[in-house]
């Protein structure tokens, strides 16, 4: 394996590509979250970021709580039911420190799809946004949240269009990649592919760096090709406390801790302990082991459940001779061949 | 011997009985997932549960998915797809049931999962639409499962996230939603509701031990109550056993 110029630490990748005021997306849907990368964004105290994310979980909540975000375009942002728990989104909205633009899951995905395909807009079936308050109440997108046109193929029919969106940077955590940056991810794919491909820069962290041969023997698992990946970060436990299929499960007790914090102060001390007091993901995991023991971590490790093998083989040759026919068979013009078959 | 069960168990069992075998179900996070899984592991083994993140009809999983993007949604699935792939079924009319939760519902089955209070000055910011607006708009029969009280069954929503019948018969069609789709059943801790010809909510079945006055006391709008109301049977031993096997740690129930 040669030295790859894409391979870098989370610290280097975030420093190089995430600028104050830029737009970011977390390209994992609700499967894994790129915590190694988002914690680095928080550690570097990036400000005024614009988060574009269909369904959002703990990583988004932490970016909010840490004061990194100014705007969110989302369809869903997890909060726990009891309102006694501290919820940064409530507080920041009330204080007018963030703005939120609501969509549905599919319409956020449709915007990234248009972004990834280079389309001017994407039509949304059923006018579902138009008749709901999602369409009526508009925040920072204003007029451009959605537009209605007449279907040129069926005059009289109204069609809702959403505009493309192209985040400056996508952060994603996946199972593995080769050194060139061919990212492989498996499990439910959500809107991962379009969220990533719509973005101008892609930073991927992976559990494992494999050799190129492994990728070439399992090409159907690749979700982002090397030429779109700008930075590759090798980060074991990079999605903890979310799961990474085939590597580890969700750490539910640890994850719930975050959502059960009752005050802003408690949230700040959580971030101090788990984000600011550690240098990187390795130290985070070391701290976890110190606090809870290696057994607890080992309990999360995935058991083996291998996919059924498939044959990707062929004869790997195109030898006409072995079938007793040669290229001369096809030398006649097609029209004559047809005639000859008819005579037969 | 009397079978002991919780209110949540009654809700999930009642909801699971609504699903006809062999149909496709798009399901939201929480109780809807559990109700769909219960149906599949009891009386409707051939329903296809589709999780919008791409999990297509997984075998009953060793642990219940805590969200529609949980990796257990592709464990022993027939396909591990993506959101654009699953959404095409809803868009093209192959989504038969949408199974949703809600924070507020109005008499026409419009639901709010976005905010209590004003959008830019919330009392409580709720998670938002997720896929609810998409599925509630496009699937043939939407089933809503939620607890009811006067703050949740409201005449006027704080925010309309997912359109039901909007404000009467024919309105969905008029505004461009697919004809013949819409809310079909609402399952609460007291009973099961449907929608009459005027597209307003009406009581269909009541749970054992629940009185009509409780239905009225726990709604902020008038619910039409027919002269004769059937009682939904209690959960059977088999249903409860299957349900508790699905959620042994009580994550949902």
């Amino acid at each position: 394996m040669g030295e790859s110029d894409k391979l870098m630490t989370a610290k280097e990748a975030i420093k190089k590509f995430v600028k104050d005021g830029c737009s970011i997306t977390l390209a994992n849907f609700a499967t894994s979250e790129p915590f190694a990368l988002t914690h680095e964004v928080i550690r570097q105290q990036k400000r005024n970021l614009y988060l574009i994310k269909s369904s959002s979980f703990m990583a988004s909540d932490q970016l909010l709580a840490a004061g990194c975000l100014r705007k969110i375009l989302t369809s869903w942002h997890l909060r726990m039911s009891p309102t006694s728990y501290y919820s940064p989104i409530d507080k920041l909205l009330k204080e007018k420190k963030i703005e939120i633009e609501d969509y549905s899951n599919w319409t956020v995905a449709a915007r990234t799809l248009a972004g990834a395909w280079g389309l001017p807009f994407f039509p949304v079936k059923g006018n579902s946004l138009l008749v709901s308050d999602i369409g009526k109440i508009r925040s920072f997108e204003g007029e451009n949240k959605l537009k209605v046109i007449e279907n040129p193929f069926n005059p009289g029919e109204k069609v809702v269009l959403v505009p493309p969106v192209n985040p400056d940077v996508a952060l994603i955590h996946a199972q593995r990649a080769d050194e060139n940056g061919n990212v492989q991810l498996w499990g439910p794919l959500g809107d991962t592919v379009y969220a990533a491909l719509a973005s101008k820069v892609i930073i991927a962290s992976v559990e494992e760096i494999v050799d190129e041969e492994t990728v070439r023997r399992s090409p159907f698992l690749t979700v982002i090709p090397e030429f779109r990946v700008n930075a590759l970060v090798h980060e074991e436990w990079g999605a903890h406390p979310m799961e990474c299929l085939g590597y580890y499960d969700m750490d539910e007790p640890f994850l719930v801790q975050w959502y059960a914090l009752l005050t802003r102060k408690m949230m700040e001390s959580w971030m101090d302990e788990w984000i600011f007091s550690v240098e990187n993901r390795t130290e985070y995991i070391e701290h976890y082991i110190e606090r809870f023991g290696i057994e607890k971590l080992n309990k999360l490790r995935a058991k083996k459940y291998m996919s059924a093998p498939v044959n990707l083989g062929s004869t790997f040759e195109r030898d006409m001779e072995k079938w007793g026919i040669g290229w001369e068979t096809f030398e006649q013009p097609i029209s004559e061949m047809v005639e000859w078959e008819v005579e037969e | 011997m009397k079978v002991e069960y919780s209110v949540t168990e009654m809700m999930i069992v009642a909801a699971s009985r609504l699903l006809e075998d062999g149909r496709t179900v798009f399901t939201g996070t929480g109780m809807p997932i559990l109700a769909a899984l219960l149906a599949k592991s009891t009386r409707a083994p051939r329903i296809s549960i589709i999780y919008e993140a791409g999990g297509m009809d997984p075998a009953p999983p060793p642990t219940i998915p805590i969200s529609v993007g949980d990796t257990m949604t592709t464990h022993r699935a027939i396909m591990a797809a993506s959101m654009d792939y699953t959404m095409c079924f809803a868009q093209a009319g192959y989504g038969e049931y949408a199974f949703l939760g809600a924070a507020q519902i109005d008499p026409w089955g419009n639901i709010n999962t976005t905010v209590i209070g004003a959008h830019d000055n919330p009392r409580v910011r709720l998670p938002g639409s997720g896929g609810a607006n998409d599925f509630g708009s496009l699937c043939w029969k939407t089933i809503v499962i939620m607890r009811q009280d006067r703050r949740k069954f409201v005449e006027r929503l704080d925010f309309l996230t997912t359109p039901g019948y909007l404000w009467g018969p024919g309105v969905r069609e008029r505004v461009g939603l697919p004809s013949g789709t819409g809310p079909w059943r609402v399952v609460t801790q007291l009973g099961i509701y449907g929608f009459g010809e005027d597209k307003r909510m009406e009581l269909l079945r009541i749970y054992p031990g629940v009185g009509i006055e409780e239905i009225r006391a726990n709604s902020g709008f008038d619910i039409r109550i027919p002269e004769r109301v059937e009682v939904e049977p209690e959960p059977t031993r088999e249903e409860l056993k299957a349900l508790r096997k699905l959620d042994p740690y009580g994550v949902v129930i």
Side-chain angles (χ1 to χ4, degrees), chain B residues 109-180:
Chain B
N110 304 306
I111 64 181
N112 173 18
T113 52
T114 303
V115 66
I116 303 296
H119 186 259
D120 58 354
N121 186 23
R123 272 204 294 127
V124 183
R125 169 72 205 193
L126 304 167
S129 162
N133 174 282
D134 306 307
F135 298 126
S137 296
L138 300 168
C139 292
W140 293 103
K141 291 175 171 179
T142 295
I143 303 169
V144 181
I145 181 163
M146 64 186 292
R147 283 171 186 276
Q148 72 173 95
D149 61 36
R150 281 178 175 275
R151 291 170 309 139
K152 293 181 169 173
F153 271 41
V154 293
E155 192 67 52
R156 247 190 105 81
L157 303 172
D158 288 20
F159 188 100
L160 195 166
T161 311
T162 301
Y165 293 109
L166 294 161
W167 49 91
V171 182
R172 273 180 82 90
E173 289 75 10
R174 212 155 62 232
V175 299
L177 292 171
S179 178

Side-chain angles (χ1 to χ4, degrees), chain A residues 17-281:
Chain A
F17 293 110
V18 180
K19 307 292 178 199
D20 283 354
C22 81
S23 55
I24 62 167
T25 185
L26 314 181
N28 298 87
F29 181 67
T31 314
S32 294
E33 283 205 277
F35 279 109
L37 302 175
T38 56
H39 281 191
E40 193 53 46
V41 170
I42 293 171
R43 257 195 302 277
Q44 293 185 21
Q45 303 193 34
K46 300 293 179 187
R47 288 292 176 263
N48 293 316
L49 302 180
Y50 169 22
L51 177 67
I52 297 150
K53 173 92 179 84
S54 55
S55 279
S56 321
F57 293 83
M58 187 168 152
S60 309
D61 212 42
Q62 290 177 344
L63 288 169
L64 268 176
C68 300
L69 306 181
R70 179 72 192 87
K71 295 195 292 189
I72 327 175
L73 188 155
T74 190
S75 53
W76 197 87
H77 184 96
L78 179 66
R79 69 166 300 143
M80 291 291 158
S81 310
T83 48
S84 54
Y85 295 152
Y86 180 75
S87 170
I89 197 164
D90 274 5
K91 181 144 175 30
L92 292 166
L93 280 169
K94 279 175 199 162
E95 290 174 352
K96 312 270 181 232
K97 288 192 176 146
I98 53 158
E99 292 173 275
I100 187 165
E101 192 75 82
D102 272 281
Y103 281 91
S104 64
N105 269 346
W106 173 238
T107 45
V108 175
R111 290 195 60 175
T112 55
L113 196 155
W117 286 43
L119 294 173
F121 48 72
F122 200 85
V124 182
K125 185 167 178 172
N127 298 345
S128 53
L129 291 184
L130 199 60
V131 296
S132 71
D133 285 332
I134 296 175
K136 287 177 186 159
I137 294 178
R138 301 181 183 200
S139 174
F140 52 85
E141 289 289 70
E143 281 290 295
N144 290 328
K145 183 167 188 171
L146 57 89
K147 300 251 183 196
V148 184
I149 58 160
E150 184 174 286
N151 180 355
F153 299 103
N154 182 19
E157 184 193 359
K158 280 196 278 180
V159 182
V160 172
L161 308 176
V162 290
V165 67
N166 295 95
D168 291 319
V169 185
L171 310 180
I172 180 171
H173 186 73
Q175 279 96 341
R176 68 187 190 191
D178 65 13
E179 267 201 355
N180 306 314
N182 292 300
V183 176
Q184 298 198 317
L185 183 148
W186 54 94
L189 288 178
D191 58 352
T192 293
V193 169
Y194 294 125
L197 297 188
S199 303
K200 293 163 199 153
V201 165
I202 300 173
I203 303 176
S205 61
V206 291
E207 289 295 320
E208 207 176 333
I209 304 276
V210 293
D211 58 14
E212 187 180 322
E213 178 64 12
T214 303
V215 169
R216 292 188 183 277
R217 291 284 291 267
S218 56
F220 39 78
L221 296 176
T222 306
V223 293
I224 310 168
E226 58 181 67
F227 60 84
R228 283 302 328 272
V229 174
N230 302 77
L232 179 65
V233 179
H234 184 201
E235 213 64 272
E236 287 175 22
W237 298 99
H240 179 272
M242 285 287 268
E243 80 278 47
C244 189
L245 185 62
Y247 291 81
Y248 46 88
D249 279 13
M250 191 181 288
D251 189 344
E252 286 176 45
F254 186 83
L255 188 144
V256 167
Q257 254 185 30
W258 168 264
Y259 284 103
L261 297 170
L262 295 171
T263 63
R264 185 179 168 80
K265 224 177 159 53
M266 286 166 81
M267 210 162 250
E268 275 165 3
S269 75
W270 191 100
M271 288 192 287
D272 269 343
E273 179 178 356
W274 294 101
I275 302 177
F276 291 108
S277 302
V278 296
E279 270 283 301
N280 50 42
R281 190 86 326 204

Side-chain angles (χ1 to χ4, degrees), chain B:
Chain B
M1 201 174 75
K2 192 164 160 42
V3 184
E4 298 284 330
Y5 59 90
S6 72
V7 170
T8 307
E9 285 173 330
M10 179 75 230
M11 286 173 81
I12 294 168
V13 167
S16 80
R17 291 170 180 162
L18 295 171
L19 301 175
E20 192 185 320
D21 202 9
R23 304 286 177 175
T24 55
V25 188
F26 281 94
T27 173
T29 291
M31 280 200 273
I33 286 184
L34 207 47
L37 285 173
L38 177 61
K40 192 168 176 71
S41 58
T42 54
R43 37 176 301 286
R46 299 305 306 172
I47 53 169
S48 298
I49 303 176
I50 304 173
Y51 297 94
E52 68 203 80
M56 300 270 295
D57 196 26
T63 60
I64 54 160
I66 67 159
S67 87
V68 294
D70 193 307
T71 47
M72 281 300 112
T73 61
T74 53
H75 181 71
R76 297 182 59 77
I78 55 170
M79 187 172 179
S82 53
M83 198 205 286
D84 49 304
Y85 192 98
T86 58
M87 284 291 176
C88 85
F89 294 124
Q91 298 240 347
Y94 293 99
E96 292 176 292
Y97 297 106
F99 221 142
L100 309 174
Q104 284 183 331
I105 192 164
D106 75 7
W108 293 281
N110 304 306
I111 64 181
N112 173 18
T113 52
T114 303
V115 66
I116 303 296
H119 186 259
D120 58 354
N121 186 23
R123 272 204 294 127
V124 183
R125 169 72 205 193
L126 304 167
S129 162
N133 174 282
D134 306 307
F135 298 126
S137 296
L138 300 168
C139 292
W140 293 103
K141 291 175 171 179
T142 295
I143 303 169
V144 181
I145 181 163
M146 64 186 292
R147 283 171 186 276
Q148 72 173 95
D149 61 36
R150 281 178 175 275
R151 291 170 309 139
K152 293 181 169 173
F153 271 41
V154 293
E155 192 67 52
R156 247 190 105 81
L157 303 172
D158 288 20
F159 188 100
L160 195 166
T161 311
T162 301
Y165 293 109
L166 294 161
W167 49 91
V171 182
R172 273 180 82 90
E173 289 75 10
R174 212 155 62 232
V175 299
L177 292 171
S179 178
T181 58
W184 178 58
R185 294 286 182 267
V186 179
V187 178
T188 77
Q189 81 279 16
L190 301 177
I192 303 170
Y193 305 86
F195 294 86
E197 279 190 2
D198 61 354
K199 302 300 180 196
R200 278 184 69 104
M201 205 187 291
E202 61 184 19
L203 181 63
L204 291 183
R205 285 194 293 282
I206 203 163
Y207 297 156
V210 174
I212 298 294
E213 62 287 358
E214 271 184 86
I215 300 285
R216 290 214 175 89
N218 285 287
S219 177
F221 55 83
D222 279 339
I223 295 173
R224 191 169 45 247
I225 295 172
E227 279 182 24
R228 279 195 48 188
V229 180
E230 282 179 52
V231 176
E232 178 72 13
E234 291 189 322
T236 65
R237 252 172 241 286
E238 291 67 41
E239 284 167 328
L240 285 173
K241 198 174 152 200
L243 178 55
R244 288 166 191 171
K245 196 176 155 205
L246 284 167
D247 189 12
Y249 302 109
V251 176
V252 178
I253 50 177

